[in-house]
């Protein structure tokens, strides 16, 4: 912000020197008349110069002041919108998604060192506040929740979905397995890029999915929804750090 203020001040001084370098009295009479007519000023001898220059400089000062105010207020608004940052990847999560409040974040690691994606959890604070184990509360089908995934590296959709299917299938106990193919088909073909984001909102027996391209899909199955919740909030989650972060985040609500 100080840099912007210094830059605005330099621009103001330069503009002031520019105005002084071309006095109105030195312009041709016809040009002076057009200038006075367009600016609404009147000529009184040679004294119009200071009035015209003062108006220009005042306008520039106002513009510089507005720019400075904007530079101070904009970061504050941005900070208010960020709920938290996943520490291993540096990926930020907004404070609200689909009407739910940010609770915590974690990272999905493969092969012990590859940070595939960051994952954030969201819910209504009233459903988790005061709970000894807020992550366990998110397993309750009656608790609506949202899971936001942001890719930390490029990955093919097939590999991304294969990893999720691998986690989901054993938790479904052989029931409603046809929904796995439906889930897979909700993703566009090709590769997921770094920064690609997917959102899964679970309300009762219904999961609403928003793909990396913004396309929407719905799966209605209590078995599927419970299995998906268990992948992230159960006793053997794909991101243990997420559960820890949720507990810390809820404690601060």
């Amino acid at each position: 912000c100080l840099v912007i203020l210094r830059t605005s001040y330099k621009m103001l001084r330069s503009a002031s020197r520019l105005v002084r370098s071309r006095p109105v009295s030195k312009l041709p009479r016809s040009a002076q008349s057009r200038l006075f007519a367009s600016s609404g000023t009147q000529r009184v001898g040679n004294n119009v110069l200071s009035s015209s220059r003062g108006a220009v400089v005042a306008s520039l000062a106002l513009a510089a002041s507005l720019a400075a105010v904007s530079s101070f207020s904009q970061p504050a608004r941005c900070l208010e919108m960020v709920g938290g940052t996943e520490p291993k990847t540096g990926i930020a999560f907004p404070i609200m998604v689909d009407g739910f409040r940010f609770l915590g974040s974690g990272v999905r690691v493969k092969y012990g060192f590859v940070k595939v994606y960051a994952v954030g959890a969201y819910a209504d604070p009233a459903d988790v506040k005061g709970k000894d184990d807020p992550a366990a509360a998110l397993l309750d089908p009656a608790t609506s929740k949202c899971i936001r995934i942001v890719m930390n590296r490029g990955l093919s959709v097939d590999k991304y979905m294969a990893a999720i299917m691998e986690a989901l299938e054993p938790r479904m106990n052989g029931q409603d397995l046809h929904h796995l193919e439906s889930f897979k088909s909700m993703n566009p073909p090709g590769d997921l890029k770094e920064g690609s984001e997917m959102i899964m909102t679970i309300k009762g027996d219904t999961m609403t999915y928003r793909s990396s391209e913004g396309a929407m899909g719905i799966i209605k199955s209590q078995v599927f929804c419970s299995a998906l919740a268990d992948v992230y909030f159960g006793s053997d989650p794909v991101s243990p750090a997420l559960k820890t972060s949720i507990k810390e985040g809820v404690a601060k609500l």
Side-chain angles (χ1 to χ4, degrees):
C1 293
L2 291 175
V3 173
I4 294 175
L5 285 172
R6 283 197 295 267
T7 303
S8 300
Y9 176 69
K10 290 179 181 178
M11 292 174 63
L12 182 58
R13 291 189 62 187
S14 297
S16 179
R17 285 195 297 268
L18 179 61
V19 172
R20 288 197 300 269
S21 68
R22 187 67 172 174
V24 175
S25 60
K26 297 296 184 181
L27 295 173
R29 287 283 180 177
S30 58
Q32 292 182 35
S33 299
R34 287 194 298 270
L35 177 60
F36 300 147
S38 63
S39 63
T41 60
Q42 294 182 352
R43 180 184 180 91
V44 181
N46 290 324
N47 294 328
V48 70
L49 174 58
S50 59
S51 174
S52 176
R53 182 188 304 144
V56 173
V57 173
S59 298
L60 290 171
L62 176 60
S65 299
L66 291 174
V69 170
S70 176
S71 71
F72 278 109
S73 61
Q74 186 64 33
R77 289 196 296 270
C78 292
L79 288 173
E80 289 174 358
M81 296 177 66
V82 175
T85 301
E86 198 291 307
K88 300 292 185 181
T89 60
I91 293 174
F93 286 84
I95 195 167
M96 299 293 291
V97 168
D98 286 353
F100 296 109
R101 177 74 156 73
F102 175 76
L103 302 179
S105 61
V107 61
R108 175 71 164 107
V109 177
K110 287 286 285 183
Y111 313 118
F113 64 93
V114 179
K115 296 184 281 289
V116 183
Y117 62 76
V119 54
Y122 295 77
D124 184 338
D127 291 333
V128 293
K129 199 171 181 179
K131 305 285 186 180
D132 293 334
D133 187 355
L138 295 175
L139 290 172
D140 187 343
T143 302
S144 298
K145 51 262 181 185
C146 180
I147 301 164
R148 179 177 181 259
I149 290 174
V150 182
M151 300 303 296
N152 186 54
R153 62 194 300 273
L155 190 70
S156 70
V157 168
D158 289 339
K159 288 183 178 180
Y160 163 73
M161 288 307 301
I164 293 184
M165 300 293 186
E166 182 183 322
L168 276 173
E169 187 171 354
R171 289 172 164 88
M172 295 177 69
N173 299 315
Q175 303 177 60
D176 290 355
L177 294 180
H178 62 283
H179 288 301
L180 294 177
E181 285 302 316
S182 299
F183 185 32
K184 185 177 181 179
S185 67
M186 292 178 185
N187 292 277
D191 294 337
L192 294 171
K193 299 177 181 178
E194 181 180 347
S196 294
E197 136 182 359
M198 287 69 66
I199 296 176
M200 298 172 282
T201 302
I202 302 172
K203 295 182 178 180
D205 64 352
T206 303
M207 189 276 289
T208 303
Y209 185 72
R210 188 183 308 162
S211 75
S212 59
E213 294 186 355
M216 304 294 290
I218 293 176
I219 290 179
K220 192 174 180 64
S221 165
Q222 188 60 69
V223 172
F224 179 90
C225 290
S226 295
L228 183 59
D230 191 71
V231 168
Y232 294 99
F233 312 124
S235 58
D236 185 24
V238 296
S239 175
L242 174 61
K243 290 183 64 175
T244 302
S245 179
I246 289 172
K247 188 170 185 176
E248 294 171 351
V250 170
K252 297 175 183 177
L253 292 177

